[in-house]
């Protein structure tokens, strides 16, 4: 299956679910199943909200930092680095 379209609340295709679920609605997705030749419509809902305090992020165990210096040459836009 392939997700081809994700709609946020208020966009076309979400009005019926927005009326039913209100602020709990996160998104509506359209999944296409090429093998069975059908489209599925799914919704994502918020089912619980609790207080949360973010902690300072620590590097994952075993993670290493790597510093890279990039120099741009020429007049074109810089290349993307992944």
């Amino acid at each position: 299956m392939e997700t081809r379209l994700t709609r946020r609340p208020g966009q076309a295709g979400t009005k019926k679910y927005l009326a039913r679920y209100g602020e709990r609605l996160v998104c509506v997705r359209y999944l296409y199943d090429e093998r069975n030749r059908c489209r599925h419509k799914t919704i994502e809902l918020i089912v619980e909200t609790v207080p949360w305090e973010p902690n300072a992020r620590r590097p994952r165990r075993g993670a290493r930092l790597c510093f890279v210096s990039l120099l741009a040459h020429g007049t074109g836009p810089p290349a993307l680095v992944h």
Side-chain angles (χ1 to χ4, degrees):
M1 276 193 277
E2 174 188 2
T3 301
R4 290 192 191 169
L5 189 61
T6 300
R7 295 287 189 183
R8 300 289 171 211
Q11 292 182 314
T14 68
K15 307 257 194 253
K16 175 172 60 172
Y17 302 105
L18 187 56
R20 182 171 179 179
Y21 298 109
E23 291 185 8
R24 295 176 27 202
L25 180 67
V26 175
C27 67
V28 176
R29 289 193 185 92
Y30 294 87
L31 305 171
Y32 290 83
D33 187 345
E34 191 172 317
R35 188 179 58 133
N36 294 320
R37 303 182 64 80
C38 62
R39 181 189 76 188
H40 303 284
K41 187 186 294 188
T42 66
I43 62 170
E44 184 176 335
L45 295 175
I46 295 173
V47 295
E48 180 182 35
T49 302
V50 294
W52 172 72
E53 287 293 325
N55 296 328
R57 293 195 49 129
R58 294 178 296 193
R60 292 181 184 170
R61 190 178 311 171
R64 296 183 299 172
L65 294 177
C66 177
F67 295 95
V68 178
S69 177
L70 301 175
L71 300 174
H73 295 285
T75 58
L80 295 176
V81 177
H82 295 278

